[in-house]
Amino acid sequence: MKLKTLIFLPVALVALTGCELFAKKVDSQEANKQVVEAMQKTTTEEHKAIQATISAELSAIDIEYLDSIEQPKAKTETLLDFDASAKIKNMNTETVQMAGNLQGRFSSKLDDVEQSKLEGNAGLYYDAGWLYADYKITTKKTPTGPTVTEENKVKANIGPLDFTQGTEVVPIDPKNTEQLEALLNGLDNINARIIRGELHVTYELTQDDLIDAVTNLFITTFSPNSEPTSEEYATIREGVAEGLNKSINIRTLKIDLVLNKEGLLGKIEANLDLDTFSETKEYNETTLQQEVVKRNKITIKGGFSLGMKYDGDVTFELPDFTSYTEAPLPTI
């Protein structure tokens, strides 16, 4: 092996690992503070341009059961898999333009029998007050119904876009930010580091982690000026655990966040494998007592990724809209 090859290998390794070897560790509480601030800043700050990509692959199995999970009454399975991207430039001006695309599939089954499905791709554009859509979608709406493919190009005049609308109600309430930061500070498994000037934070959550974090949040919220004894802490934790275990069971929950150099949320990735539990109750008209009408266990598996870039040079070409006909845009 030549000398220049030997020199190149470690350089390539560093590049492939995203400079993790030279990452600078960050205190977890400081990272949590920056994460909360980034969420607040991202939802309130105005931008001239945005580029976004999002993808997801999720499955949800909803089991309606009788007296126990081992006695299923019905099972509904839902699958969602999609990739989407969007670019917006000249935001909050009269020349705002947008171009986006989406491709994916959605399907549902009841007791392993396919009930419906939707798959295809679509383009979505905005220019000079008009919203345009071109799409090719295949649908099946009932178990015995036909599979239909529809392809079209449509447009609708929706007027000017105002991206500043709603900014007064979007910001996170200060009380909620404090609670969110307290909740994050209650987590144990946090890996925060600076890579190329960006803050990377990884949260890995187990069921016990969630119970501990909610317990600490409860104490911080309702007894901020007193430290509970070990017996009091154990009692509070036991109550929290009882409530959470009835509503959620986490096997895997990992979230990766990237904050860019401007302190804005640049990327979110999540992987999850968990169960949620719920009960539907109604009043008995005769006895006036609450009765359980339905119990459900939903198992959610999969992951999603969201990437955001702000401002900078955003370029794209809009298609020729002469063949688009004016019509109500499709609802999916």
Side-chain angles (χ1 to χ4, degrees):
M1 186 178 291
K2 295 182 179 180
L3 178 61
K4 64 179 181 180
T5 304
L6 287 170
I7 296 173
F8 171 76
L9 284 176
V11 175
L13 178 62
V14 170
L16 290 173
T17 55
C19 293
E20 284 278 4
L21 294 175
F22 298 103
K24 178 183 177 182
K25 284 286 185 180
V26 178
D27 176 74
S28 61
Q29 291 198 5
E30 173 59 28
N32 293 336
K33 180 181 179 181
Q34 292 188 39
V35 166
V36 173
E37 289 176 350
M39 290 181 177
Q40 181 81 338
K41 187 177 180 180
T42 301
T43 58
T44 58
E45 192 170 277
E46 292 187 19
H47 302 281
K48 296 180 180 179
I50 288 180
Q51 300 180 68
T53 59
I54 181 171
S55 61
E57 187 172 350
L58 296 166
S59 69
I61 299 177
D62 185 347
I63 297 178
E64 183 181 345
Y65 58 95
L66 301 175
D67 294 327
S68 71
I69 298 172
E70 286 71 32
Q71 293 179 285
K73 182 180 177 183
K75 181 179 76 171
T76 302
E77 183 176 4
T78 303
L79 298 174
L80 176 65
D81 183 4
F82 72 87
D83 292 283
S85 65
K87 293 182 178 182
I88 309 173
K89 63 182 181 180
N90 305 327
M91 294 176 67
N92 303 318
T93 71
E94 294 181 355
T95 58
V96 59
Q97 291 181 325
M98 177 183 72
N101 61 75
L102 166 69
Q103 59 181 4
R105 60 189 176 95
F106 172 87
S107 65
S108 66
K109 294 181 180 180
L110 177 62
D111 294 331
D112 297 321
V113 177
E114 186 175 67
Q115 301 297 298
S116 63
K117 72 174 182 179
L118 183 153
E119 59 185 9
N121 58 76
L124 190 66
Y125 315 94
Y126 177 85
D127 184 40
W130 286 83
L131 190 63
Y132 303 85
D134 57 64
Y135 59 92
K136 184 176 182 180
I137 300 173
T138 299
T139 58
K140 180 181 178 182
K141 296 182 178 180
T142 63
T144 58
T147 299
V148 179
T149 298
E150 182 181 0
E151 188 172 2
N152 207 349
K153 295 181 178 181
V154 296
K155 64 181 180 179
N157 192 333
I158 64 171
L161 291 182
D162 183 1
F163 290 96
T164 63
Q165 283 187 346
T167 55
E168 294 182 359
V169 295
V170 169
I172 305 171
D173 185 276
K175 292 182 179 179
N176 293 336
T177 61
E178 292 173 5
Q179 291 180 345
L180 176 58
E181 188 173 342
L183 181 63
L184 295 177
N185 287 336
L187 302 178
D188 292 326
N189 200 349
I190 302 174
N191 181 18
R193 61 271 185 217
I194 298 290
I195 302 175
R196 293 178 177 173
E198 297 182 326
L199 177 62
H200 293 240
V201 187
T202 299
Y203 299 96
E204 290 191 64
L205 194 65
T206 66
Q207 187 74 4
D208 283 339
D209 291 334
L210 178 62
I211 292 170
D212 290 338
V214 174
T215 300
N216 292 332
L217 176 61
F218 181 90
I219 294 170
T220 302
T221 303
F222 295 101
S223 302
N225 300 318
S226 61
E227 186 75 21
T229 65
S230 57
E231 292 80 8
E232 290 172 336
Y233 182 90
T235 300
I236 295 171
R237 190 184 188 282
E238 183 179 353
V240 169
E242 183 178 357
L244 286 176
N245 290 338
K246 288 181 179 180
S247 60
I248 190 170
N249 176 38
I250 297 173
R251 285 177 293 276
T252 301
L253 181 53
K254 181 180 178 182
I255 301 174
D256 291 291
L257 304 176
V258 178
L259 275 56
N260 64 23
K261 296 177 182 179
E262 289 72 38
L264 295 167
L265 196 58
K267 190 173 184 179
I268 304 176
E269 287 186 349
N271 291 290
L272 58 158
D273 180 2
L274 54 87
D275 300 325
T276 64
F277 306 92
S278 63
E279 289 185 348
T280 302
K281 296 182 180 181
E282 292 182 0
Y283 281 98
N284 185 298
E285 294 181 357
T286 304
T287 65
L288 299 180
Q289 299 294 317
Q290 271 195 333
E291 294 180 351
V292 174
V293 178
K294 187 171 64 171
R295 293 183 174 91
N296 288 79
K297 170 191 173 185
I298 302 178
T299 300
I300 303 172
K301 295 183 179 181
F304 69 87
S305 175
L306 170 65
M308 299 284 288
K309 292 183 179 180
Y310 310 88
D311 302 316
D313 293 328
V314 175
T315 59
F316 55 84
E317 291 187 6
L318 296 173
D320 183 356
F321 295 127
T322 55
S323 60
Y324 288 64
T325 58
E326 189 168 358
L329 293 175
T331 56
I332 299 175

